[in-house]
Amino acid sequence: MSNVDTSKNNAFLIDMTKCTGCRGCQVACKQWNQLEAEETEFFSGEGYQNPPAMSEYTFTRIKFRDYQKNGQNEFAFYKEMCMHCNEPACASVCPVGAFQKTEEGPVIYKADRCIGCRFCMIACPFGVPKYEWSKGLPLVKKCTGCHSRIKEGLEPACATACPTAISYGPRDEMIKLAEQRLARYPDRYINKVYGKEEAGGTTVIYLTSLPFDELGFKAVTLRPLPGYTWQALRLVPGIFLSVGGGLSAFSWITHRRERLKREQQALQNEQDSAEPKEEKE
Amino acid sequence: MTAVRVIASEIKGFHWFIKFMMLLVGIGVVASLLRFVYGLGATTNMNDTYPWGLWISFDVVTAVPLAAGAFTLGAIVHCFGIKKLEPLVRPAIVTGFLGYSLVSIGLLLDLGQPHRGWHVFRYWNVHSPMFEVSMCVAAYTTVLFLEFLSPVCERFGLHLPLRLLRWIEMPLVVAAAAISTLHQSTLGTFFLIAVDKLHNLWYNPLLPLLFWVSAICTGMCIIIIEASACHKWMGQPNEGVLLRTLAKILPWTLGAYIAIRLYSLFVLSDGPFFDNPLLTLSFFLELVVGFILPFIMFTQKSVRDNDRRRVIAACLVVFGLVLNRFNVSMFGMMDPNQIYYPSLIESLVTIGIIAGHILFFVLIARYFPIFEHHPETVDYSLPDSFQKHDGGDKGTKVTEAGRTVKAS
Amino acid sequence: MTNHWIDIQHSDVIMCIGSNPAENHPISFKYVEKAMDDGAKLISVDPRYTRTSSKSDTYAQLRPGTDIAFIGGMINYALQKDQIHKEYVVNYTNAAFLVNEKFDFNEGLFSGYDSDSFRYDKESWTYQIDKDGLPMRDDSLEHPRSVYQLMKKHYSRYTPEKVCEITGTAIQDYMEVVRTFTSTAKAGKVATIMYAMGTTQHTHGTQNVRSYAMLQLLLGNIGLAGGGINALRGESNVQGSTDYAILYHILPGYLKVPTYDNKTLKAYNEKWTPKTNDKQSANWWSNTPKYMTSLLKAYWGDAATAKNDFCYDYLPKRSGNYSFIKLMERLQNGGFEGMVFMGTNPIVGGPDAGSIAKGMDKLKWLVAADLWETESSVFWKRPGVDPKTIDTEVFLLPAASSVEKEGSISNSGRWAQWRYKAVNPPGHAESDAFIIDQWVKNLKKLYAKDGVFPGPITDLDWNYGTGHEPSIDMVARECNGQFTRDTVVKGKSFKKGQQVPSFAYLQDDGSTTSGNWLYCNSYTEKGNMMMRRGQDDPTGMGFYHNWAWCWPVNRRVLYNRASVDLDGKPWNPKKPVISWNKLTRKWEGDVPDGGWVPMNEDGTKSPFIMIPEGYGRLFAAGLADGPLPEHYEPMESPVANLMTRQQSNPAVATPGKINNSGKYPYIGTTYRVSEHWQAGAMTRNLPWLVELVPDMFVEISEEMAEWKGLKNGDMVTITSERGAIEARALVTARIKPLRVSGKMVEQVGLPWHFGFNGLATGGSANTLTTAVGDANTTIPEYKAFLCNIEKGGLKA
Ligand SMILES: Nc1nc2c(c(=O)[nH]1)N[C@H]1C(S)=C(S)[C@@H](COP(=O)(O)OP(=O)(O)OC[C@H]3O[C@@H](n4cnc5c(=O)[nH]c(N)nc54)[C@H](O)[C@@H]3O)O[C@H]1N2
Ligand SMILES: Nc1nc2c(c(=O)[nH]1)N[C@H]1C(S)=C(S)[C@@H](COP(=O)(O)OP(=O)(O)OC[C@H]3O[C@@H](n4cnc5c(=O)[nH]c(N)nc54)[C@H](O)[C@@H]3O)O[C@H]1N2
Ligand code: SF4
Ligand code: SF4
Ligand code: SF4
Ligand code: SF4
Ligand code: SF4
Ligand SMILES: [Mo]
């Protein structure tokens, strides 16, 4: 749908079997983006999870899962962030085009355009865009994909900070790498590259050893989301023309019929008023 | 000073109900100001899980179809030539104009950056349903404004603009219907993107069509209710005969709606459907009480011809629509772990908007000729035909039925 | 570390025992995972299921303080099943050595014990010596007095059942660990051990480490790529500071601090220079006099002459134990007038911290040089204390952080890497070097005026330029060492003032200086080696010889001559550290541990060059608490020692404030989390980190939570004989009660990062810990003590 060439997209390959939950990424993101810390208490979830959710202050977060399965401990970590979809729903619904997919991969946000309608938040299948609820004139906030870094040849801050789990590079290479790992270590992974097809493909892709739903991954459609609305919206001009044209034609016909009727009636009346005369005559 | 005194004394003379509405509007205005001072987070119960709350669900998604009477009736009267319904048109236009104006206000309150509302016209995104709706709402509000200008001009005896307005009336009506078709349905398109979020009972690809058809049904029902209310409380003549005609159309539109709804549910949607008892209940209330029951009622002549029953049936449809819009935009999108309910301020704003609607309608009806306009006597086909008649001034006019109405 | 971080990638089995690298050494995990990608198995042995455990193939839970039992069982298995690298063991370790007939072990005590002084007379812990003065040996390992047979006998008591009864480990987990780890006895397989504070912070911490080393020697894993025993050092430059003598009993380069009876340099040298009659032993420490003299020359420069024993008299001689715990005891007894805290926060980080804080009340003055206002520098504001009652005058010197100054930092892998100043220090903050420089310069003036015994100060060769900031470059040059006069060493001539090329050129005649012989070679005539950033890796083994510099002499893997067989061929040819090229008659690969020819040729030297006998020590007489590690219970323990009647380490005196009465039924252990740093000043003041771990918490098992009626997040009070703190209960399946000798024992885990000052505050775990230390190092027993838990917060 968009006219951006995504063939050169970069992608994050996040291998959760390699994530140690150190949260260096979480802090690096705050540092690079100069985001305020949230006031937290104890932990907001399993393990050491904090803050409670991604928010206007938190673009990425490690979700902790701390449970037992078949008598074995599971302590799992999953990095949440914007998926930088190939065909982003957020961008497609934004009335002012504040979200844009870039050629480099990240879906960026032009804050100076945004009117704050929050449709992007409704649209994003991953629940990513967050709102500045604390402000009188709020804007949307989300992971920038570190577009500014990428353009300068750096890797995203979180990927740079990550000691183990995040690889960053051209999307096709990342997918190849992911598939190589699946093939090489079939016992280690669930046989799936999450993000390869989800929501029409994303530029954040995951590998894991635990079922995706256990980790709290959302089940999402494989179809690009913009298509869902576009299938209706693309009919707009047609409907406009046909409804407008149809109704015009209709009213032209009714009015014509009426006028004709009226004229005829007038004629008739004339005739009527004339005829009796004649008749009388 | 005198003007103030005049207004004050004028207000003093108002019915207590109007004063009460004014109070509610006042409270609503204060509540809206609080929203800007303290931010959306502090004043509403919206959050990142519920980015859209009462304001979008009611003030926009529901209010728009509730204001659908104007275009429906316009089309029925002017395009399909069912001229006898003409007397209902002006009140419907006023309702529509007020409705859309308030939708715009509601939307602006809800926007994080209301001062940038105009960006929609600057940065087009044709892929955005919101863009489409914004354009339509703006265009349609303009159309309604123009249509509403007629009684205003009549009130002040401005003949020249009146002639102009008369001249463009037909294009306006057609435009109104076309634009409305678009945005009424596009409101449904909004939720097509909420795949995996909106519950299966409501998510289906025909949402836009369903939104449009239900808006048409509701538009007519609102007219029935409005005319009956005006008769009952505002001393307007009983338009029962006209409403009967409307009621005859309704079984067809309702029937169509129900058919599409069932088709979309059973053929186009995937289950599970009945996994959440509350949603199941809401769904049945909406479909059975809100659409099927009134459908059956309207098929009955005894209902159509009886003022009270007809209004009841119409009210059921409105109920069904409101519930449907809430189901789609709010209940069906609920997160299983967190519920949303509107905050006091959100509620006060919405109440203020509803009160504003009633208040302005009553005031407009009080000061402008919206009920006595029965322009069958006007020949629309000729732009200057208005001159031929003595209408336009306030004063008495003769209706088709030969009744005489005094302008208030 | 015998090896280095990058080298971990070469392992076939990685055992993290007493360490949690995923959380505390995150970068190391890059190499752990790299190894795992190549098929390595990861084992995590920890009382708690940690983020490291979550990545492991095998997790074994053990009770805090039972590592010796755990490893003892592995040694037993290896010996019983002959899962050892025989050739390596016979040729490179002292397994074949015969031990003194008088040596004995009985009911938990080795021969020579004196219960009054808690000391061993080590006379019987020796080898049988032949007429040439060489240790007697039996290469068949059959002799009953051979180290091998003694060990076999000693550890035969550590059966899997017995071990698991002590450690509480599930036996199937234990056996999986044992089998996996000992599978590397094969020549082509290597295992590594990554250990840290879970190992060392015990009254028998040194013996824990010993047990790991012995296991690795038996399996032939020391000296090899992907092998060794690797101490994951803590503070970013703690390796450097240890190399440079942060501890009371060592001088730079691990030279011994003279004791009061080493009256002359000669006496010192005699006492501390190890001797051997074995021609095949390099006995590197025989160079002690050269290193000591060069050090004295570096200290006192021209004032140090052969005539005045190179100012040996100026060197303080110790007459006792000045370890941390002892100093703190003295503090509590009013033994100090003033104190200097340079980058330390002991009332959060020290054991039985409440007592330390109380001791500080007696100080007249305190100087704290720190980045932050720490609990220790505002000790007079601590809860429950009226500041008016404390008369201490406190000076807080704002210090520059590591990025605000230049210098070298030595990592765990012994790599000294130069770091440059990135930004200026804020406000009035100054580097530690500046602070010390000013100090010395002013002391010199004061001592020159009317000092008592001013020589050691006034004669100090202290000259690091004239700038505001002392020249760190000059410091680095001095650490390496210079020639003090034109001279010829080993046939090479050197000019006065030239940098000494390596410690092989250091002399005991005053012709060389060296601030630290281990670092001699770090700054040569070619320049500052620590600044190198070459990224070439010709061997593909990750040595990166041109990246920075590592001691000794840029050797990346210690004892690497044990990585080859007697002919100089690598045990593991796929991952050679060094190999002997027969044609060039040279070693290839890493810098060899001495360039001598392979063991099968004449003129060779044994690979363990730092040990006088030249062989890796399975039986080691050097330690205070026995030549073979033996299981003892921690000082505070809920159970009786199942091994012997000797409850706790006999070489450690039982101090006060120990309570084994059952009043405190739960085992407490302290640990770190990724999100905080140490005593917390550096992280509890940073909102981004506070956000992640905002409150003091205690990890408790689901079982305990259930019968105590505790929910996740509830406030609880934890008490011990030493004090009480409150914390939020973190209820988790990651910590579990253990079945120990038939009864269930609960353990609780406490991070020790919290304190009363700063942005995020909370109870200090060290309020609860015991001030009792290891028999050798006196590192406190932070990892095992007894406590109680009650629902509800502290009632003020
Ligand atoms: N994020 C972070 N990293 C750090 C530090 C920090 O404060 N924060 N500190 C640095 C410093 S100075 C150091 S010394 C290192 C320390 O690094 P580590 O030694 O890894 O740190 P700890 O968490 O104290 O202890 C490690 C593990 O030992 C376990 N343990 C406790 N008792 C026993 C036992 O008896 N046997 C065994 N096998 N395990 C036991 C604990 O449960 C814990 O998981 O970390 C360094 N790295
Ligand atoms: N219960 C329990 N207690 C423990 C441990 C445990 O595992 N359990 N571990 C122990 C271990 S291994 C260690 S290493 C100790 C550590 O104990 P400490 O060394 O007392 O603790 P730190 O918090 O590392 O203190 C370092 C201080 O130096 C400051 N600082 C940082 N950089 C600089 C600098 O460049 N110059 C100066 N002047 N100051 C600087 C920091 O702000 C900080 O306040 O704690 C021990 N305490
Ligand atoms: S994850 Fe959501 S916010 Fe991110 S690009 Fe996709 S749709 Fe947009
Ligand atoms: S909130 Fe802003 S970015 Fe999101 S859809 Fe609306 S205008 Fe676009
Ligand atoms: S890509 Fe950048 S903005 Fe996004 S999570 Fe990583 S660091 Fe944060
Ligand atoms: S930095 Fe990497 S390893 Fe650490 S939590 Fe983030 S993704 Fe996981
Ligand atoms: S905090 Fe620093 S020293 Fe520790 S692992 Fe990370 S990079 Fe290495
Ligand atoms: Mo440490």
Side-chain angles (χ1 to χ4, degrees), chain A residues 14 18-25 62 79 158 161-166:
Chain A
I14 304 180
K18 289 174 173 285
C19 170
T20 59
C22 71
R23 300 196 276 185
C25 50
I62 297 294
K79 184 182 192 284
C158 56
C162 178
T164 48
I166 307 177

Side-chain angles (χ1 to χ4, degrees), chain C residues 195-208:
Chain C
Y195 76 91
M197 294 303 116
T199 300
T200 56
Q201 290 171 344
H202 292 285
T203 39
H204 45 263
T206 313
Q207 295 288 11
N208 282 343

Side-chain angles (χ1 to χ4, degrees), chain C residues 260-325:
Chain C
Y260 66 97
D261 50 351
N262 311 149
K263 290 201 175 106
T264 60
L265 181 57
K266 190 160 165 269
Y268 172 89
N269 285 337
E270 224 136 77
K271 168 88 191 182
W272 300 113
T273 311
K275 287 158 209 71
T276 176
N277 291 336
D278 189 347
K279 298 262 157 17
Q280 200 180 293
S281 174
N283 185 20
W284 201 265
W285 279 114
S286 63
N287 294 311
T288 299
K290 296 176 182 168
Y291 304 156
M292 187 64 177
T293 309
S294 299
L295 177 66
L296 292 170
K297 280 296 287 180
Y299 281 170
W300 285 287
D302 292 341
T305 62
K307 254 191 234 121
N308 64 11
D309 241 5
F310 301 105
C311 293
Y312 175 77
D313 287 347
Y314 285 175
L315 210 54
K317 318 284 181 302
R318 76 179 171 99
S319 56
N321 182 317
Y322 306 102
S323 68
F324 184 81
I325 291 178

Side-chain angles (χ1 to χ4, degrees), chain C residues 241-260:
Chain C
S241 54
T242 321
D243 299 341
Y244 280 91
I246 198 177
L247 298 173
Y248 75 96
H249 62 296
I250 48 176
L251 290 170
Y254 303 93
L255 293 167
K256 298 282 191 305
V257 167
T259 50
Y260 66 97

